[in-house]
Amino acid sequence: MLSMMSNQNVNLVYLAGLFDGEGNAGVWHIERKVSNPARLASGRKTISPRDVPALQLKMTDEAPVKLLHNTFGGCFFTYKIPSGKTVYGWRTSHRKAEIAAKALRPFVLVKGQQLDKVLAYYNQPKQRREL
């Protein structure tokens, strides 16, 4: 059966398994901090609260994270942990998160509900997007 699958499908199945083990998805409520001095003087502490659908994954192996980034776009980042190891991360949000969630959803076993929340966000009328 595997020989009948395209390389793209093999990659999606692999990435879905990787995401099942190391990734997470959801819709996070973000409130940006005010940096404009005039707004700070008026007493406003935050502006533009909004919900942000996003997927992310972090691990200490670079190649699989790069494959996610090359497949779906988004942000590739690194940081060091106290042990000295480098952690490689990938994050995508908004419409790219929807595209990634749609592609991975048929193949995940564990993180299906998380991906469903991202997909549900885009199935609601814009003024009612609250999760």
Side-chain angles (χ1 to χ4, degrees), residues 43-118:
R44 289 184 70 177
K45 302 231 187 282
T46 59
I47 56 171
S48 301
R50 60 187 173 161
D51 292 327
V52 178
L55 281 68
Q56 68 179 3
L57 179 138
K58 300 176 194 172
M59 61 188 307
T60 57
D61 292 309
E62 181 178 15
V65 181
K66 283 275 192 181
L67 180 59
L68 263 171
H69 180 251
N70 292 337
T71 303
F72 297 115
C75 174
F76 177 84
F77 59 92
T78 63
Y79 61 91
K80 295 270 188 189
I81 56 176
S83 70
K85 284 187 172 184
T86 300
V87 174
Y88 302 93
W90 166 78
R91 182 177 304 119
T92 189
S93 61
H94 299 85
R95 288 294 176 182
K96 286 183 180 178
E98 179 189 25
I99 291 165
K102 279 182 181 177
L104 297 173
R105 182 60 183 100
F107 307 110
V108 297
L109 299 175
V110 177
K111 303 287 172 71
Q113 288 183 335
Q114 290 182 12
L115 292 176
D116 289 344
K117 285 183 181 179
V118 170

